[in-house]
Each structure stands twice: as C-alpha cells, then as structure tokens.
C-alpha cells in the first residue's frame, strides 16, 4: 500500500467520523429546539390562563365595587347618622375586597420566564464560543498549510540548487 493510498483511506475515515459527529450534533440541537419550543408554548398557555383569571377577578371586583357604590348611593338618602354608620361598614367591606390577590403576579411564571431567558443566553454564548473555536482552528490550518507550502518550496529550491 502506497503512502498516498493510506493517507486517502485515513482522510476518508476522518471524514466519516466528522460527518457522524455533525449528525449527532444536528440531532441533539433539533431535540433541544423541540423541547424549548414546547416549554415556551406551555409557558405562553400558562400566561394566557393567568391573564384570563386576572380579567375574571377584575370583573368580579368591578361588579362588587359597583354594588357597593349603588349601596352607598341608596344610603345617601337615609338620615346622616345612619348613613355614616352604614358607610363605615361598606367601606370596610371594600377594603377587604381590595386585598384580593392578582393572578398575574405569579412568582413561578416570572421564574420560568427568567429561566428560559437564561437558557437562551447560554445557547448564544455556546454558539459564539464554538464559532470562535472553529475560526481559530481554521486560521491554524491555513497557517499550517501556508507554512507547509513554504517549506516545500524551500526544499525544492534547495534540491534544485544542489543538482
């Protein structure tokens, strides 16, 4: 077997290894993309559900406040002392109603959004690092090929001069 045949066979093996590793990388990235998109869709559904819950709560609060307002308007027709006593109890009920929790202020949802953004940042940094490594390796190969060509030219020049 000639050296060129062995080198050709070795480069073919290396090419197949590289193709296999790139295929594995593609599969991994596609799986991660599907997982992240599914996670994001679930998060969007949760946010939409919480928004709907908040709208329902706000509508209930508005109805309650509307009823309290009508009640206060009716009590305005009563004598002053009775009105003041009833108004105090009505306002106390209003204060109690105002303390209802909001469905939109959910720490879990905020945490999930933050976590998702951290994953995106990680992916961006990993891609930049991989691209930087690939560019560095490409530059090293270019320098190596150029250096090899220069050495070969020098060797040929020396060989030609020695004859």
């Amino acid at each position: 077997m000639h050296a060129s045949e062995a080198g050709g066979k070795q480069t073919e093996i290396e090419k197949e290894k590289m193709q296999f590793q790139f295929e594995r990388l593609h599969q991994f990235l596609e799986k991660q993309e599907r997982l992240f998109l599914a996670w994001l869709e679930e998060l969007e559904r949760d946010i939409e559900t919480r928004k709907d819950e908040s709208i329902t709560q706000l509508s209930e609060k508005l109805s309650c406040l509307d009823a309290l307002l009508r009640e206060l308007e009716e009590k305005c027709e009563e004598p002053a002392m009775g009105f003041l006593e009833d108004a105090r109890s009505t306002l106390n009920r209003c204060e109690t109603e105002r303390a209802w929790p909001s469905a939109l202020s959910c720490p879990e949802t905020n945490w999930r959004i933050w976590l998702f953004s951290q994953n995106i940042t990680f992916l961006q940094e990993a891609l930049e690092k991989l691209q930087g490594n690939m560019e560095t390796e490409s530059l090293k190969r270019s320098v190596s090929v150029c250096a090899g060509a220069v050495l070969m030219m020098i060797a040929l020049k020396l060989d030609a001069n020695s004859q």
Side-chain angles (χ1 to χ4, degrees):
M1 182 183 281
H2 290 73
S4 63
E5 288 178 15
K9 199 171 235 181
Q10 185 62 35
T11 56
E12 185 63 32
I13 290 170
E14 292 302 316
K15 178 181 174 182
E16 288 174 8
K17 285 181 186 178
M18 181 188 66
Q19 288 173 328
F20 175 73
Q21 292 305 324
F22 270 106
E23 183 59 35
R24 286 185 59 209
L25 182 59
H26 283 286
Q27 290 171 356
F28 172 77
L29 291 173
E30 287 171 353
K31 180 180 178 183
Q32 292 305 307
E33 180 184 17
R34 286 190 304 273
L35 289 172
F36 279 124
L37 290 175
W39 188 27
L40 186 57
E41 287 174 12
E42 180 185 335
L43 185 57
E44 287 173 339
R45 282 192 305 272
D46 288 351
I47 290 171
E48 189 65 30
T49 299
R50 293 195 188 286
K51 185 177 86 173
D52 291 344
E53 290 171 359
S54 286
I55 289 171
T56 301
Q57 283 182 356
L58 290 172
S59 294
E60 289 171 1
K61 286 179 183 181
L62 186 59
S63 294
C64 182
L65 290 173
D66 191 41
L68 289 172
L69 183 60
R70 279 193 309 273
E71 190 178 321
L72 283 173
E73 287 172 346
E74 290 171 5
K75 292 185 192 266
C76 279
E77 305 297 322
E78 296 178 7
M81 191 53 133
F83 168 74
L84 290 175
E85 287 176 5
D86 289 339
R88 185 177 301 128
S89 69
T90 302
L91 289 174
N92 283 339
R93 283 199 335 254
C94 184
E95 288 294 320
T96 303
E97 304 277 335
R98 206 167 49 167
W100 292 350
S102 171
L104 284 180
S105 62
C106 178
E108 180 192 347
T109 301
N110 293 338
W111 168 252
R112 289 169 60 195
I113 291 170
W114 178 84
L115 194 56
F116 193 81
S117 71
Q118 293 302 304
N119 283 317
I120 291 171
T121 301
F122 171 77
L123 288 173
Q124 288 170 333
E125 290 171 356
L127 178 61
E128 289 169 5
K129 186 174 182 178
L130 182 60
Q131 286 173 333
N133 287 345
M134 296 301 278
E135 289 169 3
T136 301
E137 286 301 314
S138 178
L139 182 61
K140 284 180 185 176
R141 277 191 298 260
S142 296
V143 168
S144 177
V145 167
C146 289
V150 168
L151 289 175
M152 194 175 232
M153 287 174 30
I154 292 172
L156 289 173
K157 193 77 155 168
L158 290 175
D159 191 42
N161 287 340
S162 66
Q163 291 183 7

